[in-house]
Amino acid sequence: MGNIDLTGRVAIVTGAGAGLGKNHAVELAKLGAKVVVNDLGGSRDGTGAGQTPADDVVNEIKAAGGEAVANYDNVATVEGGENIVKTAVDTFGKVDILVNNAGILRDKSLAKLDENAWDPVIAVHLKGLYCVTRPAFLNMKANGYGRIISTTSAAGLFGNFGQCNYSAAKLGIVGFNNTMKLEGAKYDIKTNIIAPVAATRLTEDILPPDMLKKMDVKYVTPVVLYLASDQCQDTGMVFNVAAGYLSRSAVMTSPGIVLKDDENTPDKIAEKWNEVTSMDNSVYLKDLNDFLMAMASAQG
Ligand code: NAI
C-alpha cells in the first residue's frame, strides 16, 4: 500500500452499481475503507430499479477481502438520502467519505425539453446531492472530519448541445459546493468536485468509439481516492479528469472596468466592451466576500 491509506474510514458511494461509481467503491475498499455501495439499479434514463448491481459490487469487494454493504435507496428523496447515511452509521458507525456519483441522462435540445426530461434529471443530480449530502454532512460535522467528492460534468462547466437539463443540474452542484466548502471548513470537511470523462453506459453512444477505448473508468478513480484521503487539504475545487489527464477548472473574474457616473452610458460601455470581456489578468475569488473586496478595491 502507498501513503494514501483509508483503513478505518467509512465511505458512501452513490450510484456505485456500475460505471465510475463501481470503480470508486472497489478501489476505496482496496485502500481499506468500509464502503456503502448505493445503487437504485435503474436504467440510464432513471426508470426501473433493482438490487443486483449494488449486490454484485458488494460481493466483488468482499471476495477481494474488503468490507461493504449494499443500499438500494433513491438519492433523489430526502428519505432515501437519510437511509443511505443510516446504512453507513448503523453498519460501520459513521461517515468519513461521501462520493456523490449517481446520475441519469434524458438528453433533449431545449426546443424539445419537456418537464419529463427536466424534472428527473434535476431531481437525481441536484436534489439528490442535497438529500444525501445533508445527513452525511451532519455526521461529519459531529465527528470533526469529512471528505466529500461530488461529480459535475464538462457539459455543465462548458456547455454541450442537447443537455440544458443535465448542464443546469451539474453546474448547480458547483454552486452548492461553493457554499458547502465554507460551512464545512471549521469541521475539517473538505469538499471537492470531479468532472470526469469515461466510457460507461452514459457515454457509449455520445463519445466516438476511438475516444471511448482510451477512456476507461480506471483513469478517473485515483484522484477520487486522493480527494477522499486526509492528505487532501484543498476544498471547493473542481478537477477535470480522463485518461490520465488531470486539470483544474474555476470561475475566474476579470479586472473589469469602473465607469464614472457620467460615463455609465450604453455608448461608453460599447466603446470599452473589449476591456469588459477580456479575461486577461483574471483572478480566482474564493467567496462572496472576496468578490465584494475586489469590486471595492477596483472602485478605489
Ligand atoms: P452509469 O450509468 O454507468 O452509473 C450511474 C449509476 O447511478 C447507475 O448504476 C445507476 O443505477 C445509478 N443511479 C441512477 N439514479 C440513481 C438514483 N436516483 N439513486 C441511486 N442510484 C442511482 O454512469 P457513469 O458514467 O458511471 O456516471 C457516474 C457519474 O458521473 C454521473 O453523475 C454522471 O453524470 C457523471 N459523469 C459521467 C461522465 C462520463 O463520461 N461517463 C461525464 C461527466 C459526468
Side-chain angles (χ1 to χ4, degrees):
M1 205 176 265
N3 290 328
I4 306 281
D5 180 2
L6 301 176
T7 306
R9 297 293 183 199
V10 177
I12 293 171
V13 184
T14 69
L20 287 160
K22 174 183 174 180
N23 203 56
H24 301 335
V26 167
E27 296 300 325
L28 282 162
K30 281 188 195 160
L31 289 186
K34 298 166 188 168
V35 185
V36 176
V37 176
N38 157 264
D39 206 285
L40 184 62
S43 58
R44 176 170 117 153
D45 70 358
T47 51
Q51 302 192 343
T52 312
D55 285 342
D56 286 351
V57 175
V58 168
N59 290 336
E60 186 176 329
I61 290 172
K62 286 184 172 167
E67 281 188 71
V69 63
N71 169 283
Y72 320 107
D73 277 291
N74 183 351
V75 297
T77 67
V78 167
E79 190 192 12
E82 281 170 356
N83 274 335
I84 294 167
V85 174
K86 189 173 182 302
T87 302
V89 175
D90 287 354
T91 316
F92 301 126
K94 58 175 178 168
V95 186
D96 299 302
I97 298 160
L98 168 62
V99 184
N100 286 307
N101 166 81
I104 61 168
L105 280 184
R106 293 195 181 191
D107 289 359
K108 292 242 186 323
S109 63
L110 178 57
K112 295 178 186 149
L113 186 61
D114 57 19
E115 255 184 317
N116 186 41
W118 175 265
D119 285 346
V121 170
I122 302 294
V124 173
H125 292 280
L126 193 52
K127 188 174 177 194
L129 175 75
Y130 158 74
C131 292
V132 184
T133 305
R134 183 168 177 265
F137 185 93
L138 286 172
N139 189 271
M140 292 172 177
K141 187 178 164 195
N143 299 333
Y145 182 85
R147 295 290 180 269
I148 299 172
I149 301 100
S150 301
T151 312
T152 186
S153 167
L157 294 173
F158 311 117
N160 194 30
F161 196 97
Q163 294 193 312
C164 275
N165 51 356
Y166 183 69
S167 302
K170 285 305 203 187
L171 206 58
I173 292 171
V174 178
F176 185 106
N177 204 54
N178 284 341
T179 290
M180 180 164 61
K181 76 177 180 204
L182 304 174
E183 298 183 5
K186 211 166 109 183
Y187 309 102
D188 194 13
I189 300 173
K190 310 280 194 257
T191 177
N192 292 290
I193 295 184
I194 59 159
V197 186
T200 68
R201 69 178 183 174
L202 285 193
T203 48
E204 63 194 0
D205 56 358
I206 293 176
L207 296 174
D210 279 2
M211 197 182 260
L212 281 171
K213 271 190 219 142
K214 298 178 198 148
M215 297 276 178
D216 195 281
V217 293
K218 74 179 181 194
Y219 294 113
V220 174
T221 301
V223 72
V224 173
L225 301 175
Y226 171 72
L227 295 171
S229 76
D230 56 13
Q231 290 205 15
C232 170
Q233 292 298 314
D234 283 311
T235 193
M237 296 190 180
V238 180
F239 301 99
N240 306 293
V241 51
Y245 170 81
L246 183 58
S247 68
R248 181 179 168 205
S249 282
V251 174
M252 303 295 283
T253 304
S254 72
I257 59 168
V258 176
L259 298 153
K260 296 192 186 80
D261 284 357
D262 62 349
E263 287 179 332
N264 204 346
T265 64
D267 282 343
K268 195 72 186 173
I269 289 170
E271 196 184 297
K272 297 199 167 218
W273 197 240
N274 286 344
E275 272 180 78
V276 175
T277 57
S278 166
M279 294 302 287
D280 290 351
N281 301 315
S282 57
V283 291
Y284 172 72
L285 301 169
K286 71 173 187 325
D287 61 14
L288 175 69
N289 284 334
D290 254 20
F291 169 68
L292 293 176
M293 279 163 63
M295 195 169 58
S297 96
Q299 284 163 331

